[in-house]
Amino acid sequence: MAVAAPDRQRYEALRAIEEVARQLVAQIARGEGPYLEVPVRTLANIIWDPQSKLLKLGPRKLRRDFLDAGEARKFMQTVLMMSLLARAIREGDYPTIRDLYYAGKHTIEYTDEYGRARKEETWDVQKESDSVIQDIEVLTGFLREQMGILHDTKGKIVGRLTIRSGADVIDCSRMGDGAYSIPPNPDALEVLEVDAEYVLVIEKDAIFNRLNKERFWEKHRCLIVTGKGQPDRSTRRMVRRLWEELGLPVYVLTDADPYGFYIYSVYRSGSITLGYESERLATTGARFLGLTITDIYDYKIPRNFIIKAKDRDLKRAKELLNYPWFRSSKEWVKQLQLFLEKQEKVEIEALSGYGFKFLTERYIPEKLSTGAWIE
Amino acid sequence: MSEQYRQLSPSEFFYRNREVAGFSNPTRAVYQAVRELVENALDATEMHGILPDIKLELREEGDGSLTLAIEDNGIGIPSSEVPNVFGRVFYGSKYVLRQSRGVFGLGVKMVVLYAQMTTGRPVKVRTATARSKFVYEYEVMIDVEKNIPVIKSLKISRNDSKWHGTRVELSMRGNWVQAKKRVEEYVRRTALIAPYARISLEAPDLVLRFERSVEKLPPAPKVGRPHPKGVDIEMLRMMVERSKRSTPLVEFLVENFDGVGPVTARKFCEWAGLNPEMKLRDLKVSDLELLALKMQEFSGWRRPKASTLSPLGEELLAEGVRAVLNPEFVTAVSRAPSSYGGHPFVVEVALAYGGAIPPAERPLVLRFANRIPLLYDEGVDVSVKVVTEKIDWRTYKVEFPAPLAVVTHVCSTKVPFKGVGKEAVADVPEIESEIEAGVRECARRLRLHLSRLERLLEAKRWRVTVGKYVEDVSRALSYITNYDEEQLRSRLVELIRSRSSRGGR
């Protein structure tokens, strides 16, 4: 039954696409200019919901009117992508977003207002086709993973976790020095068995590899995950499922700088660009384990390991202070203000100044046992 | 004044001062000769209600001379007058005021003189007046010292075809190769300002033919009296001399000047401190000076009448511009009559845009004065000053390089020319402001036209921008919904068509 569920979702997504298209056809049949109402996906329309602790899409919608010269191209791209998605689902294909880019790319030949023959590509770069996929997600309420659209993934997981993917059963504790690569649609995974007390999400791939090599997850009975920097959707969805379905607490470990802090907030509250899927992706209970700015001083990190903050770090910190999901947390305001005051940052690796095992044998256990995390 | 010159032989005087009349070099001489002859031909026709038909021929002869022939369908010259018209330099002008191209006949005699001086050959004249039973063919030379015509031959033949008009043929030294461009430009511009004329030119490497584009002549100017404000002492003295010596001053003013009634005349005399009943014979030389001065200063005169002027009119001017420049847009303005220093004038302006006009960094300025094209001395002309310095063309949506031509026509009983060449109009404030107002009025209409074009282009651009996606949109929607693709396409096309006919979005 684990396979049937995503397939059913695909057909529901198809029906949603067909419904949007039917409305457009009805407008055309009535002699009206066809238009789509696409929720706006920019910061201006991102709302912080303190109740659910989620970033959500606000009510603002953009009327994408085919007869509006400024919107016509996007309108064409949107319905073109809708037809590509419909075809993939109807024909049982699982294209990547790059496949969709190529499948829809062709040259439009036309005569311009001066009578000259001109050419135009349906889309020039993948950014354009990716952007309309996101529009279709918000239009239909179905995520591309639910439509069976694949993408590059970079998330990895290791630990005592057994899952079924398709016809295969995978034991995530038997990956050697490697790790299980989180697939594009983690919803298609069925968790068979888990033996862990928490999930440790690590910003950096190198640190993840070191912890894996030390078999940290075995010694500390946890699952370790990395999204290699800014996490993709499937990594975030995976973490969310582990937290929500298995009830595992989630701890996030990043560098002590505004970029690390923002990565944590993406796991926890969602991102601005994907505000519309926070409800599915965000792990609202995620805790920030470290490194904090105060750690720099509490752990007396040697001065020569401390990096002077750059202008863009300071700028980023000020932006974070303006985001309501940071501003509403006393502890985060304290951390960011301290950062702005001291103008110093450190990488996780700075802890190695006290020996390579300091992070795994002292820092993490100490933080976990004293509850010194930020929520 | 004229008495003295007659004794010194005016022919000789002009002969020695030929550069003043525009014959300074063999290039300029060709242009000047063409100009004088064409203007005479036009005066012989249009001033008398005849639609002009002018044929101009130029030939380079084996001996290096240039033969110039012109034929018109004008009123012709009475046979007995021919020798004097072509062979005697005299003051043909009377004190009549009306707009004409030049003082009658003076220029043509300079051409004859120049031709005779450079080749030694007589001028050939063939002419017949309306309903004349005969055609007269003369060969005339000028005895320069005595200023008398010498008839070399005279042939009289029956006028069976009822022809009337004049054909003049003469030989002169001239540089046709150098003059060609100017002559071509002169004929072209003459055709522009005289759209009611048929003008043809046959010359080495150059054949021009301008058909008549309108069958209507502008109203001919009336003969008028001088305006008191435009008077000078010399003129006043001659007028006094011509009048009866017992005439009272007030009566003299009323009879001799434009728009002066007894009431105005008395008011003036009172203002000037002159006795209105004073007889002319009692006027001393000093009184004459005072009178002239006061007449110029007095502000109570009526404005000079413009009936002595013959502007082309907006319709004819626009037609001429259209026929010669072949623009996409043309508009013309004939301003209300105005005056400067007692001389009435009318300014006409036409503006042409696009079409066959080549885009340039500056507007092309075509200047005319009393229907004469002005080709030289462009840099100092008041029209050029207005068009290039006073008008900011961006105000009127013109972005250079632009295919823009501005035509200005100043009509006056006395055009204030700059310098002796009579090729540039001086910047008299009254004329300058009329030209500016005319150009601005035309430019406002051009702006409307350009805005309309812009809107049309905008609508077209919109149709293209949206229309190019119809194919993909209908195919995609048809695939998703199974709705007929062809029907979707035609509905969208129709939607775009109906929306753009309402002016787009």
Side-chain angles (χ1 to χ4, degrees), chain B residues 126-402:
Chain B
R126 186 172 180 272
T127 188
T129 51
R131 289 184 293 279
S132 168
K133 289 194 177 76
F134 301 100
V135 174
Y136 301 87
E137 282 178 81
Y138 280 90
E139 287 194 334
V140 181
M141 290 188 85
I142 302 175
D143 181 329
V144 176
E145 268 172 47
K146 295 187 188 135
N147 190 27
I148 52 164
V150 180
I151 301 164
K152 290 286 177 182
S153 74
L154 169 61
K155 232 169 76 190
I156 302 174
S157 51
R158 292 181 57 85
N159 187 11
D160 291 334
S161 61
K162 293 184 178 163
W163 176 74
H164 61 87
T166 305
R167 179 186 161 89
V168 180
E169 183 179 319
L170 43 81
S171 289
M172 61 187 280
R173 293 256 159 218
N175 189 336
W176 167 243
V177 176
Q178 293 275 321
K180 187 177 146 187
K181 254 186 87 97
R182 288 283 177 175
V183 170
E184 176 179 2
E185 193 56 28
Y186 171 78
V187 172
R188 183 179 294 281
R189 293 196 190 182
T190 301
L192 186 156
I193 204 72
Y196 44 80
R198 181 186 294 136
I199 304 173
S200 69
L201 166 67
E202 276 183 47
D205 298 326
L206 182 64
V207 175
L208 287 178
R209 205 176 161 76
F210 292 98
E211 284 303 325
R212 194 169 283 142
S213 54
V214 285
E215 299 280 337
K216 190 180 132 192
L217 282 171
K222 293 188 179 71
V223 175
R225 287 173 294 187
H227 189 272
K229 219 175 169 66
V231 84
D232 59 46
I233 300 173
E234 198 54 36
M235 188 170 146
L236 197 60
R237 191 179 60 78
M238 292 181 69
M239 292 168 99
V240 168
E241 272 174 15
R242 277 207 314 252
S243 306
K244 270 205 273 179
R245 300 179 54 74
S246 58
T247 316
L249 181 57
V250 65
E251 199 176 301
F252 167 75
L253 290 171
V254 171
E255 276 173 5
N256 284 279
F257 292 95
D258 171 32
V260 181
V263 177
T264 312
R266 281 181 192 283
K267 227 184 248 168
F268 163 73
C269 289
E270 193 184 318
W271 174 84
L274 291 161
N275 176 8
E277 305 306 334
M278 188 192 338
K279 301 279 190 286
L280 287 184
R281 74 167 79 88
D282 298 331
L283 273 172
K284 292 191 284 290
V285 176
S286 58
D287 291 332
L288 216 56
E289 272 174 36
L290 180 73
L291 182 60
L293 192 72
K294 291 291 180 187
M295 283 171 78
Q296 286 165 17
E297 282 177 4
F298 187 55
S299 57
W301 306 118
R302 290 228 296 271
R303 273 176 33 150
K305 277 203 207 81
S307 58
T308 52
L309 302 179
S310 175
L312 207 54
E314 293 177 358
E315 191 189 332
L316 284 186
L317 183 59
E319 190 49 49
V321 171
R322 200 174 286 125
V324 174
L325 296 180
N326 199 13
E328 167 199 289
F329 170 82
V330 61
T331 185
V333 164
S334 206
R335 299 280 304 165
S338 181
S339 69
Y340 79 94
H343 309 290
F345 73 91
V346 166
V347 165
E348 296 184 293
V349 176
L351 215 139
Y353 190 91
I357 301 171
E361 287 300 333
R362 285 170 24 134
L364 173 67
V365 183
L366 305 179
R367 302 166 292 133
F368 297 88
N370 288 345
R371 292 193 215 161
I372 299 170
L374 308 181
L375 267 67
Y376 287 90
D377 305 334
E378 184 178 277
V380 296
D381 192 281
V382 61
S383 297
V384 174
K385 179 183 167 193
V386 168
V387 168
T388 59
E389 288 173 25
K390 301 203 96 179
I391 309 273
D392 181 357
W393 288 96
R394 284 169 306 183
T395 315
Y396 303 101
K397 287 185 178 284
V398 176
E399 297 282 347
F400 288 98

Side-chain angles (χ1 to χ4, degrees), chain A residues 102-232:
Chain A
Y102 279 114
K105 186 174 172 67
H106 65 258
T107 308
I108 297 168
E109 290 181 5
Y110 66 100
T111 308
D112 75 5
E113 63 270 29
Y114 302 103
R116 292 177 300 215
R118 302 289 290 261
K119 288 178 180 180
E120 182 181 314
E121 295 295 297
T122 46
W123 35 64
D124 293 313
V125 291
Q126 196 185 327
K127 219 178 126 187
E128 288 181 90
S129 58
D130 286 356
S131 169
V132 289
I133 291 173
Q134 295 188 346
D135 288 336
I136 294 166
E137 290 181 296
V138 294
L139 265 171
T140 59
F142 286 89
L143 298 181
R144 64 180 190 224
E145 290 83 355
Q146 296 170 311
M147 300 179 203
I149 304 307
L150 310 179
H151 54 88
D152 292 348
T153 56
K154 38 180 200 168
K156 297 194 292 191
I157 185 165
V158 188
R160 292 202 185 280
L161 173 73
T162 310
I163 48 179
R164 197 203 311 273
S165 176
D168 301 321
V169 172
I170 293 142
D171 182 348
C172 296
S173 64
R174 303 175 77 89
M175 295 286 153
D177 289 344
Y180 178 62
S181 170
I182 300 168
N185 184 11
D187 285 340
L189 300 175
E190 186 188 353
V191 178
L192 300 176
E193 214 186 311
V194 66
D195 178 17
E197 286 176 352
Y198 62 92
V199 179
L200 181 64
V201 177
I202 300 155
E203 173 191 0
K204 288 171 147 175
D205 192 34
I207 304 292
F208 174 90
N209 285 335
R210 182 142 69 83
L211 264 62
N212 188 21
K213 187 80 180 164
E214 290 176 22
R215 295 183 83 78
F216 179 88
W217 46 271
E218 198 171 49
K219 290 172 200 158
H220 295 268
R221 279 189 75 202
C222 66
L223 304 174
I224 57 174
V225 172
T226 182
K228 294 184 190 170
Q230 188 64 251
D232 60 23

Side-chain angles (χ1 to χ4, degrees), chain A residues 21 25 28-29 31-33 66-69 73 76 79 82-83 87 90 106 108 110-111 113-114 120, chain B residues 457 460-462 464-466 468-469 472-473 475-477 479-481 483 488 491-492 495-496 499 505:
Chain A
V25 167
I28 295 169
E32 294 168 10
F66 178 54
L67 297 185
D68 181 340
R73 179 174 162 87
M76 175 277 292
V79 295
M82 280 164 55
S83 75
R87 194 172 76 198
R90 284 172 186 169
H106 65 258
I108 297 168
Y110 66 100
T111 308
E113 63 270 29
Y114 302 103
E120 182 181 314
Chain B
L457 187 68
K460 205 168 171 189
R461 188 176 294 140
W462 173 79
V464 168
T465 307
V466 176
K468 66 188 169 191
Y469 302 127
D472 277 276
V473 167
R475 193 187 310 127
L477 289 179
Y479 172 76
I480 303 170
T481 61
Y483 197 89
L488 277 174
R491 289 228 175 219
L492 283 174
L495 204 57
I496 291 167
R499 190 69 65 99
R505 287 176 52 89

Side-chain angles (χ1 to χ4, degrees), chain A residues 258-259 309-323 336 339-340 343:
Chain A
Y259 289 91
K310 301 206 168 58
D311 283 349
R312 60 190 192 106
D313 296 322
L314 301 174
K315 191 169 160 262
R316 190 76 183 116
K318 283 174 196 153
E319 280 170 9
L320 295 190
L321 268 174
N322 270 326
Y323 292 156
L336 289 166
F339 172 75
L340 286 172
Q343 308 202 349

